[in-house]
Amino acid sequence: MAYDNNTTKRRRFKHLSEAERGIIEKLLELGYSIREMAKELGRSASTISREVKRGTTTQMRTDLSTFEKYFAQTDKAVYDKNRANCGRKSKLFEVEEFLEFAEEKILKDKWSPDAVVGYCRQELGFSKDKMVCTKTLYNWIGKGLLRVRNIDLPIRVRLKPRKTKARVAKIKPRGKSIEERPDSANNREEFGHWEIDTLIGKRSSDSVLVTLTERKTRFGMIFVIPSKESSYVRDLFIKLQRILGEKFNRVFKSVTSDNGSEFSELGKVLNELGSEGYYTHPYSAYERGTNERMNGLIRRFLPKGKEISKISKEAINRIRDWYNRLPRRIFKYKSSLEKFLSEIREICEVEVLEKLLMEV
């Protein structure tokens, strides 16, 4: 049977007020017992007992004899002192080495706070008392306690995306649809499935970057071609095949692109080289999300409008190496380079990879 009238009093656990301490002092002078005072104030007898004990001090009479008496002011002073020592203390001054490392990596090497925290924990072996978690590091940056500011964190200062109308697909795939791509590529279980895209600098008469990202390891490669023409993309893969030889279709089992005109010959040339090319649905960049993420990181160094033809190959290689050495949470803060090398060693010598990256 259920009862609607509940007579149980809820315990609120509120601290005693100064007025209540004053009442305790007066009631003690009138000779009230602990239980009588507790009943009068609607408090637990244990609470009143602790308050009396905390605020009682030893006094001396004129004849040098001593006695004990409760003072509300003494009780309040002890209470305030204890409260000042409550709560978790900030570790700001106990993690100086970690903060110096974090500032250098975020400002100089463009790491994210999470990459810093994960790398320090997994690779450098920082103990919990010598570092802070990702959330605390973000909080300290927001409060201005580090040289790093929110504006130094590219993801944190992104503008709110503009609302766009839903587009109706008018472009048909130029070859095999991504729907035909095997599950081993979709679920990232098998090495050798790549995504491709191009990055432009100036709108006309400028070189173009071709970015390739391996889906399983997230390893990326960046190549420069003279312009955004399909023939240059075709020639790029022919050069890759010449370097890798018969192992080409083990390294490049498939390549997924969008429906841009520069990839119009991609499916054909890959078939000729013993591989497969797949095309995403129109206006569906998320179907190449790994490569899009890589492009977003590259844009930190090469914003739109920057002339690519004036950028040296060494500078582009530095951007590529930075991307591939970035610690990643998904790999327990190992880098894409480490994961890629562990896979490529089973197929060909590392020297072949070095030649691949240097000569193309």
Side-chain angles (χ1 to χ4, degrees):
M1 180 176 178
Y3 293 92
D4 295 331
N5 298 325
N6 190 344
T7 59
T8 303
K9 293 184 178 179
R10 288 189 173 273
R11 303 170 69 187
R12 299 183 182 279
F13 298 102
K14 287 186 177 180
H15 291 203
L16 288 176
S17 65
E18 290 188 45
E20 288 176 309
R21 292 190 181 94
I23 294 172
I24 291 174
E25 184 175 350
K26 293 300 182 182
L27 293 178
L28 281 172
E29 291 175 357
L30 296 174
Y32 276 60
S33 67
I34 296 295
R35 291 192 178 279
E36 289 173 335
M37 287 188 291
K39 186 177 181 180
E40 189 74 24
L41 293 172
R43 295 281 187 167
S44 166
S46 298
T47 300
I48 302 300
S49 177
R50 285 193 293 269
E51 289 292 326
V52 171
K53 184 177 180 180
R54 185 164 53 201
T56 299
T57 60
T58 302
Q59 301 293 305
M60 184 177 291
R61 296 188 179 93
T62 55
D63 59 357
L64 302 183
S65 62
T66 59
F67 68 98
E68 292 185 341
K69 184 178 180 181
Y70 172 86
F71 292 97
Q73 289 183 344
T74 302
D75 188 8
K76 178 66 165 54
V78 176
Y79 168 82
D80 290 341
K81 182 180 178 181
N82 291 341
R83 288 292 291 173
N85 294 325
C86 289
R88 187 175 180 178
K89 304 301 181 292
S90 174
K91 294 172 62 177
L92 184 63
F93 301 108
E94 301 173 11
V95 293
E96 286 292 339
E97 182 181 356
F98 167 77
L99 294 181
E100 289 178 5
F101 179 83
E103 289 175 337
E104 178 183 0
K105 287 298 179 182
I106 295 173
L107 293 174
K108 184 179 178 181
D109 295 338
K110 307 300 181 184
W111 284 20
S112 68
D114 183 67
V116 171
V117 172
Y119 186 82
C120 287
R121 184 184 296 120
Q122 299 290 339
E123 302 298 322
L124 301 184
F126 274 72
S127 59
K128 287 185 178 181
D129 59 333
K130 296 298 181 182
M131 61 179 293
V132 296
C133 66
T134 301
K135 186 177 186 303
T136 300
L137 186 56
Y138 270 111
N139 289 342
W140 286 0
I141 292 172
K143 292 178 181 178
L145 300 178
L146 280 71
R147 288 191 294 118
V148 181
R149 299 175 300 163
N150 278 332
I151 199 170
D152 299 318
L153 308 175
I155 303 299
R156 197 138 189 179
V157 295
R158 280 182 175 173
L159 296 177
K160 185 177 180 180
R162 291 177 293 180
K163 293 182 179 179
T164 56
K165 295 182 179 179
R167 292 181 173 180
V168 179
K170 297 180 180 179
I171 304 174
K172 294 182 179 180
R174 297 180 181 274
K176 282 188 177 181
S177 170
I178 192 174
E179 296 176 2
E180 301 179 55
R181 194 170 66 179
D183 291 338
S184 58
N186 294 333
N187 56 28
R188 304 176 190 268
E189 290 181 354
E190 187 178 47
F191 172 80
H193 299 281
W194 299 73
E195 296 173 2
I196 190 173
D197 196 16
T198 54
L199 291 178
I200 62 174
K202 286 192 170 183
R203 288 290 180 180
S204 60
S205 65
D206 190 19
S207 299
V208 176
L209 294 182
V210 176
T211 60
L212 275 162
T213 317
E214 204 281 317
R215 284 179 55 80
K216 182 178 180 181
T217 63
R218 277 71 169 180
F219 181 82
M221 293 193 288
I222 307 175
F223 305 109
V224 181
I225 58 176
S227 67
K228 199 174 178 180
E229 293 182 11
S230 61
S231 59
Y232 293 117
V233 176
R234 179 196 62 207
D235 293 344
L236 171 64
F237 280 95
I238 293 174
K239 290 180 181 178
L240 293 174
Q241 195 277 334
R242 286 174 182 169
I243 295 172
L244 292 170
E246 60 183 11
K247 297 174 182 177
F248 173 82
N249 56 9
R250 294 181 62 191
V251 177
F252 291 93
K253 295 177 181 177
S254 76
V255 181
T256 303
S257 73
D258 59 24
N259 291 276
S261 60
E262 68 271 32
F263 302 123
S264 59
E265 299 183 50
L266 180 64
K268 180 180 178 181
V269 69
L270 287 174
N271 285 335
E272 293 173 354
L273 300 175
S275 183
E276 293 288 348
Y278 299 99
Y279 293 88
T280 62
H281 296 99
Y283 313 116
S284 303
Y286 62 88
E287 293 179 339
R288 299 174 11 268
T290 307
N291 185 249
E292 284 293 310
R293 174 60 176 159
M294 178 183 178
N295 293 343
L297 292 173
I298 293 173
R299 284 297 190 190
R300 296 185 185 181
F301 304 93
L302 303 176
K304 292 182 179 179
K306 191 174 184 66
E307 195 168 349
I308 293 175
S309 59
K310 291 185 178 180
I311 301 172
S312 66
K313 183 174 178 61
E314 291 74 17
I316 292 175
N317 288 344
R318 279 197 296 272
I319 297 172
R320 178 200 65 202
D321 293 342
W322 170 85
Y323 168 82
N324 287 322
R325 288 190 169 93
L326 196 64
R328 296 177 180 273
R329 181 192 294 180
I330 196 171
F331 298 139
K332 296 183 178 179
Y333 299 98
K334 299 288 185 181
S335 68
S336 296
L337 179 61
E338 293 175 85
K339 303 295 288 186
F340 183 80
L341 290 178
S342 66
E343 296 281 351
I344 201 72
R345 286 193 184 101
E346 299 178 4
I347 301 174
C348 59
E349 299 79 8
V350 178
E351 290 75 14
V352 176
L353 173 64
E354 293 176 351
K355 184 179 180 181
L356 181 72
L357 299 177
M358 292 299 295
E359 293 191 9
V360 179

